[in-house]
């Protein structure tokens, strides 16, 4: 069984008060590590330490929204994977479509970060997903293949135990326009097949593939109920405990 992951990407939101307060509310739902669901929150860098302290010992784990692929040096504005770990992160999100689009991150750069994070011992949530024009031009699978191939260069089958894939169709992120259950399942099935070809059946069977893009309490059960959807990467709805907790519950229900 693949244990579902419900991850919250807080993006450029929260503050030193609201971040820990949100975690305190989530801890009521997952007071201790659970074998039914893994819950991860990804606050902005300045609050990582505070949020990790608030989450300590509970079923809420903390991740960075990005990282740099060097340990130290003249990289103004960047944060190292080791620094994320130092302040209590177990996870890092890499290749988010906003990083790809706004910051021009290439598959090559994302791959350097993936390899560095894995070397250091961080677990990676690698985001992939097509633009609306790709979907309309029937290029969804080609885009996913390119991003998976490029993002996972020189990553071994053993290392894949620490990698989670997030399928996030760009047209569904922050738009309220969610992929249908069938569209999500079709893309996830394609990704799992790709993992089998690139690695092997064991890796394909064990890798968690999350769906992201306008996940809300009212669509979570349908999406998470798909056989190849192993959790969710949630933006907007992760900022309110009353929205995020029902999504966590949908994750638990999806394997019960
Ligand atoms: P959204 O964001 O849930 O607000 O659509 C998802 C994401 O960007 O990870």
């Amino acid at each position: 069984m693949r244990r579902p992951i419900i991850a919250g990407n807080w993006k450029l939101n929260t503050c030193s008060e609201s971040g820990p307060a949100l975690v305190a509310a989530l801890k009521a739902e997952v007071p201790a590590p659970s074998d039914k669901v893994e819950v991860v929150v990804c606050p902005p860098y300045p609050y990582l330490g505070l949020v990790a302290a608030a989450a300590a010992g509970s079923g809420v784990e903390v991740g960075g929204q990005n990282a740099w692929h060097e340990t130290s040096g003249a990289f103004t504005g960047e944060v190292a994977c080791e620094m994320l770990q130092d302040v209590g992160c177990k996870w890092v999100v890499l290749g988010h479509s906003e990083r790809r689009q706004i910051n021009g991150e290439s598959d090559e750069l994302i791959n350097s970060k993936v390899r560095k994070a894995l070397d250091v011992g961080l677990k990676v949530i690698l985001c992939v997903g097509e633009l609306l024009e790709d979907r309309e031009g029937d290029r969804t699978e080609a885009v996913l293949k390119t991003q998976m191939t490029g993002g996972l260069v020189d990553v071994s089958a053993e290392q894949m135990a620490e990698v989670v894939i997030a399928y996030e169709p760009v047209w569904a992120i922050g738009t309220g326009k969610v992929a249908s259950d069938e569209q999500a399942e079709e893309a996830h099935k394609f990704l799992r097949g790709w993992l089998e070809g690139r690695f092997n059946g064991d890796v394909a069977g064990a890798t968690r593939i999350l769906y992201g893009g306008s996940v809300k309490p009212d669509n979570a059960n349908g999406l998470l109920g798909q056989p190849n959807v192993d959790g969710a990467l949630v933006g907007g709805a992760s900022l309110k405990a009353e929205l995020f907790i029902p999504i966590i519950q949908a994750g638990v229900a999806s394997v019960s």
Side-chain angles (χ1 to χ4, degrees):
M1 189 200 79
R2 295 184 293 265
R3 182 162 52 136
I5 301 178
I6 307 297
N9 174 8
W10 294 358
K11 307 191 181 184
L12 192 60
N13 297 293
T14 69
C15 66
S16 60
E17 266 179 43
S18 62
L22 186 46
V23 167
L26 300 180
K27 277 165 72 172
E29 186 64 24
V30 274
S34 157
D35 56 8
K36 298 224 158 56
V37 68
E38 265 185 287
V39 177
V40 182
V41 295
C42 302
Y45 290 145
Y47 311 128
L48 284 170
L50 281 174
V51 168
S58 76
V60 180
E61 297 180 340
V62 181
Q65 298 174 14
N66 181 34
W68 192 241
H69 56 284
E70 300 282 352
T71 302
S72 63
F75 302 102
T76 302
E78 296 298 346
V79 167
C81 292
E82 289 89 339
M83 294 171 180
L84 294 183
Q85 256 186 341
D86 190 28
V87 295
C89 291
K90 290 202 176 134
W91 294 86
V92 63
V93 174
L94 294 171
H96 190 278
S97 66
E98 285 149 19
R99 301 289 321 167
R100 292 177 188 266
Q101 290 193 290
I102 303 169
N103 304 84
E105 292 200 10
S106 64
D107 287 317
E108 196 182 356
L109 176 66
I110 294 161
N111 176 247
S112 308
K113 297 177 174 194
V114 168
R115 284 186 285 140
K116 179 66 177 183
L118 293 173
D119 279 352
V120 160
L122 281 174
K123 296 190 242 191
V124 170
I125 299 176
L126 173 63
C127 303
V128 296
E130 82 286 1
L131 302 171
L132 183 59
E133 65 209 56
D134 297 323
R135 178 158 283 269
E136 288 174 344
D138 216 9
R139 291 187 297 274
T140 298
E141 293 187 354
V143 168
L144 296 181
K145 191 173 158 199
T146 300
Q147 293 177 342
M148 292 288 282
T149 305
L152 294 172
V153 169
D154 285 341
V155 173
S156 69
E158 293 67 42
Q159 285 176 308
M160 283 304 291
E162 308 299 321
V163 176
V164 169
I165 305 298
Y167 169 62
E168 298 206 303
V170 180
W171 47 271
I173 296 179
T175 58
K177 210 174 150 190
V178 68
S180 67
D181 298 345
E182 295 71 28
Q183 283 173 321
E185 173 61 14
E186 195 185 2
H188 284 230
K189 222 167 147 179
F190 171 79
L191 291 167
R192 205 172 297 289
W194 184 91
L195 289 168
E196 178 157 13
R198 163 70 172 78
F199 297 100
N200 55 51
D202 288 348
V203 168
T207 302
R208 271 92 51 97
I209 307 178
L210 316 184
Y211 170 79
S214 297
V215 177
K216 308 282 181 232
D218 64 356
N219 58 31
N221 280 306
L223 289 161
L224 294 168
Q226 300 304 306
N228 284 293
V229 177
D230 309 311
L233 180 55
V234 186
S238 72
L239 294 168
K240 290 200 171 115
E242 66 270 27
L243 298 180
F244 198 52
I245 287 174
I247 300 173
I248 296 172
Q249 289 166 344
V252 173
S254 71
V255 286
S256 305

